[in-house]
Amino acid sequence: MAVARAQEEPAIPGKRPNDRPEDLETPNKDLETWLTPNDAFFVRHHLPRPTVDTQSYRLAVNGLVGKPLSLSLDDLRKLPQYKVVATIECAGNGRDFYRPRVPGIQWKRGSIGNAEWRGPRVADILKLAGAKMDAPFIETDGADTGVAKTPDFIRSLPMRKALDAATLLALDMNGEPIPEFHGRPARLIVPGWDGASWVKWVVRFTVAAAGNTAFYMNPAYRYPKYALAPGSQPVPADLEVIEGMPVKSSITTPAEQDRVALSPFTIRGFAWAGEQKVMRVDVSTDGGSRWSPAELTPQNLNFAWRLWSYRWSPPRPGFYTILSRATDSTGRVQPIVAQWNPSGYLWNAIDRVGIVVEKSA
Ligand SMILES: Nc1nc2c(c(=O)[nH]1)N[C@H]1C(S)=C(S)[C@@H](COP(=O)(O)O)O[C@H]1N2
Ligand SMILES: [Mo]
């Protein structure tokens, strides 16, 4: 398993070796803007990153369709283009915080980002092919291929989500053609769902009567239907495919173990709630005895995060435990304890950092 590295330097597409998968975590400071810069956006893929030639690129649309299609990038650009601002988070974000520990990339807070995605609706592509709209699934394959013991990355998306107006085949990310790290020339946007649904370098849509059951649909990216005793193994039948993401907030400033001077400063972070809206974030600076509402950025869209801030004057020097807790539009609140699971998915416990406030010089 590759190890996450902090993406301290801007990624330079084309300048990095192309012979192994990269996993790059976004540093906290780059998680404090409404749109996450493309060159600091987290990167996750399981297989060597493919370079797709945009001239010869074709998207195959087949399976339960009236007319199988082979679409060029121009064909996709000629369809009506839509914009969606949406957050993508890897199901494994926060895995590092689980106890007992679980294997996998030890992401902390940074396998998440928010971007403006633009491209045709998946529904319009399916209509063009005369797809059987009541088929239950569309199977999506990217241009990456299986290597040695790592299988090809193939995902099935339920038709109800594929037909959602916000589900796009994005060609642009934050106003520029999608960088190779993020799926050039076309990647699936599945707003509110975990990152594994957002297939990169998409080359095939197959309308299907059944869901794919290969590795990346089963057992990967599945979560227990009910809470497990930490450290125990579920039986496979008790796991289900991850879809919409839970409510969550993270603290980006200050960082764990920071030392700060005794003067007022702003505590910052982000919050999101999958397909729901974030309604409030509360902050505690005393380990959870007292809570106060944070200020949230006014934009409140389904699928996109909200940034929050809380101005704080530490009363005296000492050690402080700062917590953040988000609540969403359906009343979901971040739990005190995240539900342990053997793959370490969906960490969403109340966030927590400990800092030392020092007497000013
Ligand atoms: N073709 C392909 N698409 C993929 C993956 C992959 O390995 N291959 N990884 C998925 C996972 S697990 C995540 S979290 C997101 C990460 O997207 P990003 O690298 O653009 O941040 O891409 C998804 N799409
Ligand atoms: Mo992921």
Side-chain angles (χ1 to χ4, degrees):
M1 182 65 76
V3 173
R5 289 178 278 139
Q7 192 172 347
E8 294 300 353
E9 311 221 325
I12 308 168
K15 293 273 171 62
R16 282 168 183 260
N18 195 11
D19 57 354
R20 61 185 177 82
E22 296 101 348
D23 295 302
L24 306 170
E25 179 156 356
T26 302
N28 283 1
K29 66 174 163 47
D30 288 311
L31 297 170
E32 296 185 344
T33 53
W34 165 237
L35 298 177
T36 312
N38 288 0
D39 63 4
F41 214 91
F42 85 96
V43 174
R44 169 68 175 131
H45 35 262
H46 304 75
L47 296 155
R49 164 171 49 92
T51 297
V52 177
D53 172 44
T54 52
Q55 290 302 310
S56 57
Y57 170 80
R58 294 292 180 277
L59 168 70
V61 188
N62 55 31
L64 302 173
V65 297
K67 185 175 68 154
L69 299 176
S70 171
L71 301 171
S72 69
L73 198 50
D74 270 359
D75 295 333
L76 293 171
R77 291 236 178 243
K78 279 179 195 141
L79 288 169
Q81 308 286 301
Y82 297 89
K83 283 182 186 170
V84 170
V85 177
T87 298
I88 170 173
E89 181 177 24
C90 181
N93 198 24
R95 180 179 288 124
D96 186 53
F97 303 127
Y98 275 110
R99 297 293 181 277
R101 285 193 170 278
V102 293
I105 300 171
Q106 299 299 301
W107 304 109
K108 293 183 190 293
R109 297 175 177 82
S111 64
I112 186 167
N114 190 56
E116 181 193 83
W117 311 93
R118 182 175 182 273
R121 286 182 174 150
V122 171
D124 288 347
I125 297 170
L126 296 176
K127 274 178 215 151
L128 206 62
K132 194 174 176 314
M133 294 299 190
D134 59 356
F137 291 102
I138 75 165
E139 187 177 292
T140 307
D141 191 9
D144 47 353
T145 53
V147 170
K149 283 187 191 146
T150 311
D152 194 3
F153 190 85
I154 297 175
R155 295 276 303 177
S156 280
L157 186 66
M159 185 63 92
R160 72 183 143 80
K161 186 66 175 174
L163 295 181
D164 191 288
T167 301
L168 305 182
L169 184 66
L171 311 175
D172 298 316
M173 174 180 184
N174 291 331
E176 58 177 57
I178 293 203
E180 183 169 293
F181 279 94
H182 303 291
R184 186 169 68 208
R187 79 143 344 143
L188 203 53
I189 303 307
V190 189
W193 289 27
D194 83 298
S197 303
W198 299 47
V199 179
K200 304 197 271 194
W201 315 290
V202 174
V203 291
R204 177 173 64 82
F205 283 149
T206 301
V207 180
N212 181 287
T213 54
F215 180 74
Y216 291 108
M217 291 302 296
N218 189 12
Y221 299 112
R222 287 182 179 237
Y223 189 78
K225 289 178 189 167
Y226 54 84
L228 296 173
S232 66
Q233 289 296 322
V235 297
D238 287 342
L239 296 175
E240 58 192 0
V241 179
I242 296 170
E243 297 189 341
M245 294 293 277
V247 62
K248 173 172 189 171
S249 68
S250 291
I251 300 165
T252 52
T253 300
E256 177 67 19
Q257 292 183 25
D258 270 1
R259 304 181 82 89
V260 303
L262 180 62
S263 59
F265 71 98
T266 303
I267 301 169
R268 295 182 187 284
F270 59 82
W272 89 297
E275 295 181 301
Q276 312 305 333
K277 290 179 174 164
V278 172
M279 297 316 286
R280 60 183 295 153
V281 170
D282 295 284
V283 173
S284 173
T285 54
D286 60 5
S289 289
R290 283 162 298 174
W291 293 86
S292 305
E295 266 183 59
L296 291 161
T297 46
Q299 260 162 312
N300 193 3
L301 311 173
N302 290 89
F303 317 131
W305 69 18
R306 295 179 84 178
L307 304 178
W308 58 263
S309 59
Y310 180 76
R311 189 83 188 152
W312 183 49
S313 303
R316 64 189 71 85
F319 179 80
Y320 290 87
T321 297
I322 300 172
L323 307 176
S324 75
R325 178 184 69 193
T327 302
D328 80 6
S329 47
T330 62
R332 295 188 300 180
V333 184
Q334 275 182 273
I336 294 172
V337 179
Q339 191 182 311
W340 189 92
N341 62 102
S343 298
Y345 294 140
L346 308 188
W347 173 269
N348 77 325
I350 289 172
D351 202 15
R352 165 177 175 170
V353 297
I355 64 162
V356 172
V357 174
E358 296 176 317
K359 206 177 291 173
S360 313

